[in-house]
């Protein structure tokens, strides 16, 4: 059976357009710039993981505000990462990057806007609903995307360019730069759905394992795939003298590590009562992905 | 009697160092960069206004998390505004701008970090305290600093450079770029302090009036003061072909408008039962400021 997430992708896309409608008038430019990157064909893996974990623990209401929140924060981070002062990438997912279309100044502000509106949307929802879970979820996202999470990992990654770093530092980069947001997605879903402490902990750990798989496969793909497959120039990590797992392991060893982590992630899911079939399939697919 | 806000400034500075302590280790750089701009000698006018409005309506607990939140968001906006892609300013308050010290990439991320940590700090506090007021205050700040507030105003300002804009557009720029955050400060203080709907509305309106005075005086100072007084190169607005009030009014007329707005702000304060003496003094001082 192949994994079909199109229903979930549609849910996320509909929610994004509802929570962040297009605008004419004074604020047209900034909305256009934010939408351009939101619509650039992301896989929506973070909000999908959140929704699935929410369902696994029995959540039944809409958590669209938080699905949008995490995808908007992920998208802002890509816009800023692509800037000339950072990775200086012209293409992302086969499309021109935000600053190539709107200019650097608007791209910086579109990133700021997505980050700010993510909280605006989540906190508006938390206010309307009351209860502690939704506020807790927004708090977790602020933590995972902050300076001791995604942003800190990005700074550490930049500082490590052209340097010989040890494996511990590389793991620290990955844990924070990409891992924190993926683990936040699964944990937020479990909390929003009213999961038990044990369920929350298991699903968060699942997120950490697959987040690491995601990063290892990213490193492999950057070194081996074609531009057509990847939608951005290949080998840009090497060109930017980034540290990747391939500096420490062969491709075969990388796949073995990713395989072990995937097995651990699946073993965690087996300890949960709810239906974790799709989460299991996602873990298995991540290691096979080609873009 | 001269206005002495040093006690409040100290309160804000102590709170900033408590909520955002310095760090060694992996995340040292990003913390250093954030602290550099936070410590660059701002007047702390937004958190002070928040604290004063909080006290006016009878608030007695600590709202330090929100004082920090608004100052951090103000500071991030300055870091990003100063970037080469934006205003390209080398100096701010007499000190080198963030990107001149830490480089563009870290400056972008320091701004992102301050914005994200502002919400992290406020939401952590809201979670610990419970109740709706603190969540409401964080929500208001996300609105005022978002794309239909500060960020939208900044984009509109950039788009208006080198263009003949009408007074309505200029007012729209100022209302959002600087006014929204100042009005949010006073409104947040009133809400956090449990003010009545009438008090909240009066103090928000007071914030809107003095926010406009602040901007008009900014425009005048940019055109007339010396670099030593202002801490940044003078005339940079004219050099960047920015639209200011001086394109529509003489300096004398600007001061008359600011004077009228100040009187209106003070008249609002007179309708409030609490002790509004310092808020009144701030309104009177704003129009007299020289830097």
């Amino acid at each position: 059976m192949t994994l079909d997430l199109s229903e979930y992708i549609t849910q996320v896309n509909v929610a994004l357009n509802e929570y962040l409608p297009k605008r004419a008038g004074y604020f047209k430019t900034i909305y256009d710039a934010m939408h351009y990157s939101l619509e650039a064909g992301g896989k929506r893996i973070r909000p999908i993981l959140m929704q699935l974990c929410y369902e696994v623990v029995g959540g039944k209401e809409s958590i669209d505000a938080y699905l949008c929140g995490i995808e908007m924060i992920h998208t802002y981070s890509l816009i800023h990462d692509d800037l000339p002062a950072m990775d200086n990438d012209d293409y992302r997912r086969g499309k021109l990057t935000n600053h190539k279309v709107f200019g650097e100044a608007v791209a910086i502000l579109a990133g700021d806007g997505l980050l700010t509106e993510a909280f605006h949307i989540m906190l508006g929802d938390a206010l309307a609903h009351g209860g502690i879970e939704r506020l807790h979820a927004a708090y977790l996202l602020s933590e995972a995307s902050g300076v001791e999470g995604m942003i800190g990992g990005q700074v550490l990654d930049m500082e490590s360019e052209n340097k010989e770093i040890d494996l511990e530092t590389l793991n620290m980069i990955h844990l924070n730069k990409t891992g924190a947001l993926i683990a936040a997605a699964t944990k937020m879903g479990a909390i929003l759905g009213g999961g038990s402490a044990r369920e929350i902990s298991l699903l968060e750990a699942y997120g950490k394992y697959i987040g690491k798989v995601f990063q290892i496969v990213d490193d492999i793909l950057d070194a081996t795939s074609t531009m057509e497959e990847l939608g951005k120039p290949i080998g840009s990590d090497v060109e930017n003298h980034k540290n990747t797992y391939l500096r420490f392991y062969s491709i075969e060893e990388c796949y073995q590590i990713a395989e072990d982590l995937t097995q651990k992630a699946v073993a965690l899911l087996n300890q949960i009562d709810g239906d974790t079939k799709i989460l299991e399939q996602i873990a298995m697919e991540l290691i096979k992905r080609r873009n």
Side-chain angles (χ1 to χ4, degrees), chain A residues 198-264:
Chain A
R198 183 178 149 79
E199 286 172 323
I200 293 167
S201 163
L202 286 166
L203 287 168
E204 182 185 14
Y206 159 84
K208 282 189 179 161
Y209 283 130
I210 65 166
K212 190 153 181 180
V213 172
F214 192 86
Q215 186 60 55
I216 293 173
V217 176
D218 240 24
D219 284 358
I220 297 171
L221 290 178
D222 186 78
T224 60
S225 60
T226 65
M227 174 161 173
E228 198 181 346
E229 283 171 335
L230 207 58
K232 66 174 183 179
I234 51 158
S236 67
D237 288 350
V238 176
E239 203 175 295
N240 288 335
H241 305 282
K242 295 240 175 188
N243 285 287
T244 82
Y245 275 101
L246 296 178
R247 299 214 163 181
F248 298 92
Y249 301 107
S250 69
I251 289 181
E252 291 68 29
E253 287 169 328
C254 282
Y255 271 122
Q256 189 55 53
I257 294 168
E259 181 63 36
D260 290 348
L261 292 167
T262 303
Q263 291 309 320
K264 282 184 185 169

Side-chain angles (χ1 to χ4, degrees), chain A residues 18-29:
Chain A
E18 265 171 28
Y19 276 103
L20 205 74
K22 299 224 171 167
R23 284 281 195 284
Y26 284 126
F27 300 134
K28 184 179 187 303
T29 304

Side-chain angles (χ1 to χ4, degrees), chain A residues 37-162:
Chain A
S37 290
L38 278 177
E39 290 165 8
K43 293 183 279 287
R44 314 299 191 205
I45 187 69
R46 291 158 194 79
I48 290 173
L49 285 169
M50 193 189 298
Q51 177 68 31
L52 288 168
C53 289
Y54 178 74
E55 292 173 5
V56 161
V57 300
K60 301 259 186 272
E61 295 174 62
S62 165
I63 55 163
D64 282 353
Y66 307 86
L67 307 184
C68 291
I70 201 165
E71 187 67 12
M72 289 165 71
I73 284 181
H74 170 61
T75 303
Y76 114 73
S77 77
L78 300 182
I79 295 175
H80 282 189
D81 282 2
D82 288 337
L83 287 167
M86 312 266 274
D87 287 349
N88 195 20
D89 279 322
D90 291 353
Y91 289 93
R92 159 83 62 184
R93 297 166 184 160
K95 286 179 69 176
L96 285 170
T97 45
N98 198 291
H99 65 272
K100 296 301 286 183
V101 176
F102 294 92
E104 270 185 72
V106 171
I108 293 167
L109 290 161
D112 295 344
L114 285 167
L115 171 52
T116 310
E117 293 308 315
F119 285 103
H120 186 221
I121 289 167
M122 292 186 290
L123 299 183
D125 177 87
L127 264 182
H129 271 80
I132 204 79
E133 291 83 6
R134 288 169 187 249
L135 173 55
H136 192 184
Y139 170 77
L140 283 175
L141 188 50
S142 73
E143 190 167 62
S145 59
V147 294
E148 301 200 21
M150 185 179 74
I151 292 171
Q154 171 69 9
V155 175
L156 202 54
D157 194 16
M158 287 174 4
E159 289 185 315
S160 304
E161 282 175 33
N162 305 311

